[in-house]
Amino acid sequence: EVRMNESSGRRSASETPTLAPKAQKCKGDPNPVRFSRLPGSAFDGVFRRGKRIGQSSLVLIAQPSPASQPSASPPVVFRLGVMVGRKIIRNAAPRNRLRRILRESFRIHAATAFVRSMDCILMARDAARNFKSRGDADRVIQKLMAKLQ
């Protein structure tokens, strides 16, 4: 039960929900796989050196991660940046929903598609505004990852 401050109607600092950690480990895999967001400072490097694969609704730009360390069994780390411009979807709520759908679809399929650490950017095009569920995004992301291999 969340109690509100009676005078201001706001939650107190101790009652605010905690945020999940940025990187997540995929359960059930023998190899440690982690997913995190691509920091803004790394976008330029991926744009310059990454391999571009496109479809009518999405563009995937990917490059091997410079953070991967050579060792016996290094953790595989996927860093993903998702770009959905205001020209594609004007209102913030549907735009953020599309970002969440793309991020989740990528997270599910990347663990099976890649064997090494990658930095990736997903850019939405006009046709991406028709994605209503994760199933729509799954089909396109699977095709993009197959082309990347």
Side-chain angles (χ1 to χ4, degrees), residues 5 13-14 16 20 24 29 46 51-52 54 64 76 79 81 84 88 96 103 107 111 146:
N5 186 342
S14 63
T16 56
Q24 321 174 28
D29 263 342
V46 176
K51 182 178 178 183
R52 293 174 185 257
V76 178
R79 298 191 308 172
V84 181
I88 306 298
N96 291 334
R103 197 176 299 125
R107 183 188 69 80

Side-chain angles (χ1 to χ4, degrees), residues 30-69:
N31 296 337
V33 178
R34 294 175 32 148
F35 300 89
S36 64
R37 293 189 181 169
L38 186 68
S41 59
F43 268 70
D44 287 338
V46 176
F47 273 117
R48 271 189 261 119
R49 294 182 295 273
K51 182 178 178 183
R52 293 174 185 257
I53 294 120
Q55 289 232 322
S56 62
S57 55
L58 290 176
V59 176
L60 174 66
I61 307 169
Q63 76 169 12
S65 178
S68 59
Q69 307 131 358

Side-chain angles (χ1 to χ4, degrees), residues 3-15:
R3 295 184 185 184
M4 302 296 246
N5 186 342
E6 293 172 9
S7 61
S8 66
R10 296 183 184 171
R11 292 181 183 177
S12 66
S14 63
E15 296 168 350

Side-chain angles (χ1 to χ4, degrees), residues 59-108:
V59 176
L60 174 66
I61 307 169
Q63 76 169 12
S65 178
S68 59
Q69 307 131 358
S71 67
S73 64
V76 178
V77 179
F78 299 105
R79 298 191 308 172
L80 176 67
V82 179
M83 296 176 57
V84 181
R86 260 188 296 177
K87 289 183 179 181
I88 306 298
I89 299 178
R90 186 76 179 139
N91 293 331
R95 189 168 60 241
N96 291 334
R97 176 173 160 63
L98 178 59
R99 281 190 191 117
R100 287 192 305 271
I101 288 171
L102 294 175
R103 197 176 299 125
E104 180 67 11
S105 180
F106 182 87
R107 183 188 69 80
I108 288 170

